[in-house]
Amino acid sequence: MKFYRNQVEIKDVTIDNKTQLKQSLQGQDIVQCNFTLDSFFDFQIGDYVEWRGKIYTIFKQPSVKKDKSNAFLYNFDLESDQYRLLDALYMLDGQTDFYLMGDLEKFANLIVLNLNRLSGTGYYQLDSIPETDVRNLSFQDETCLNVLQKISQEFSFEFLFSNDGRTISFVDKIGNDTGLTFEFKNGLRNIERQKVNDKNIITNLYAFGG
C-alpha cells in the first residue's frame, strides 16, 4: 500500500489481512490500517492512499506503539473524502438553528454552498437531482454529512460520491440486485446500520451568543 503526501510517494507498506477496507451503504467508508514496520515512520494528517481511483486520507493523528527494539505497530484509519463533510456546518445566513422549506435540490444546493465556503467556489458540485415534493425541515448544529444522510432518508434516495469525492449524486438505488435473499436466523444472524462517526479533529470553531 503506497502512501502519498502532496502527490509524492512517501512510503510503500506491506500489509496483510489485518488492514481492511470497510464500507457500508451511506455509512462508513474507511481503510482500517494495522501493520508493523521495522523502523519508525512519521505518518501525518493529510497523508493518503489511492484505491480504485478513490482517495483515502489520514484525518486523525495516527497511533503507533513501539514493541521491542525493531518493531513499530501502527493502528489508524484512512477515511474517504466524504468525511470532509464533517468539517462544514450546515448554515443558512450565518445561523445553524433554522427551518427551511424546499425540495431535495434546494437542501442539496445549500450543502454544496456550505462545503465550498471552506473549499473554494466550484470545488464541490451536484450531479443531476431527481425532482421531489417540497418539505419543511428543521436543522440545529448539524454537519453537512449529517444533513446529507438526513435528506437522503427524508426523500427516500441514496447518495454517492464520484471517485474524486467532489461530485454528489442522488439515485433510487445504488448497485444491482444480486437475486440473493437473506432471512433472520437463516444465514443472517444480525444486522446493524451505522452512521459515519463525527468525532474527527476540530478544524473550524463557530461561536454563537454573548
Side-chain angles (χ1 to χ4, degrees):
M1 184 166 62
K2 295 181 179 181
F3 285 81
Y4 296 86
R5 183 181 301 161
N6 299 324
Q7 300 181 333
V8 177
E9 182 181 333
I10 57 172
K11 189 68 174 177
D12 193 351
V13 176
T14 300
I15 59 174
D16 55 23
N17 58 10
K18 292 181 181 179
T19 294
Q20 300 179 348
L21 171 68
K22 292 193 174 183
Q23 295 175 315
S24 60
L25 182 62
Q26 302 190 145
Q28 68 174 348
D29 186 9
I30 64 176
V31 177
Q32 290 186 332
C33 295
N34 194 329
F35 55 81
T36 301
L37 298 179
D38 56 10
S39 62
F40 175 76
F41 186 84
D42 185 20
F43 292 100
Q44 300 177 9
I45 292 175
D47 295 346
Y48 64 92
V49 302
E50 183 176 345
W51 186 79
R52 293 188 176 179
K54 181 180 287 190
I55 300 297
Y56 291 84
T57 305
I58 299 175
F59 289 130
K60 290 173 285 190
Q61 187 64 41
S63 172
V64 58
K65 176 182 177 181
K66 185 175 182 180
D67 184 24
K68 303 178 182 178
S69 60
N70 60 344
F72 292 83
L73 311 180
Y74 288 85
N75 190 337
F76 58 89
D77 291 340
L78 293 155
E79 301 172 324
S80 69
D81 277 350
Q82 74 175 26
Y83 287 78
R84 295 183 186 275
L85 275 68
L86 292 170
D87 290 343
L89 282 176
Y90 195 65
M91 305 175 70
L92 178 65
D93 297 329
Q95 301 299 313
T96 59
D97 188 355
F98 59 91
Y99 282 86
L100 181 63
M101 180 172 289
D103 57 7
L104 176 61
E105 184 174 9
K106 185 171 184 177
F107 295 115
N109 275 326
L110 187 57
I111 290 176
V112 170
L113 181 65
N114 279 283
L115 292 174
N116 287 338
R117 172 170 47 84
L118 300 181
S119 302
T121 303
Y123 187 87
Y124 285 94
Q125 57 188 345
L126 295 174
D127 203 346
S128 58
I129 304 295
E131 292 185 4
T132 66
D133 58 353
V134 174
R135 302 186 185 185
N136 190 26
L137 302 180
S138 65
F139 303 94
Q140 183 176 21
D141 301 331
E142 299 182 54
T143 68
C144 286
L145 183 56
N146 296 144
V147 173
L148 182 58
Q149 295 169 329
K150 180 177 181 176
I151 63 175
S152 297
Q153 183 177 7
E154 180 72 28
F155 290 98
S156 299
F157 284 99
E158 297 176 356
F159 68 83
L160 69 158
F161 290 83
S162 58
N163 278 344
D164 63 7
R166 296 169 57 176
T167 301
I168 305 171
S169 303
F170 292 88
V171 296
D172 290 325
K173 184 173 67 173
I174 298 173
N176 301 310
D177 190 352
T178 64
L180 299 175
T181 301
F182 295 91
E183 298 178 2
F184 190 66
K185 292 187 178 180
N186 186 14
L188 181 64
R189 297 301 179 184
N190 58 71
I191 187 168
E192 179 181 0
R193 181 175 182 176
Q194 296 181 335
K195 294 178 66 176
V196 170
N197 190 298
D198 60 357
K199 301 300 183 182
N200 280 20
I201 186 171
I202 295 176
T203 57
N204 296 279
L205 178 64
Y206 299 90
F208 298 94

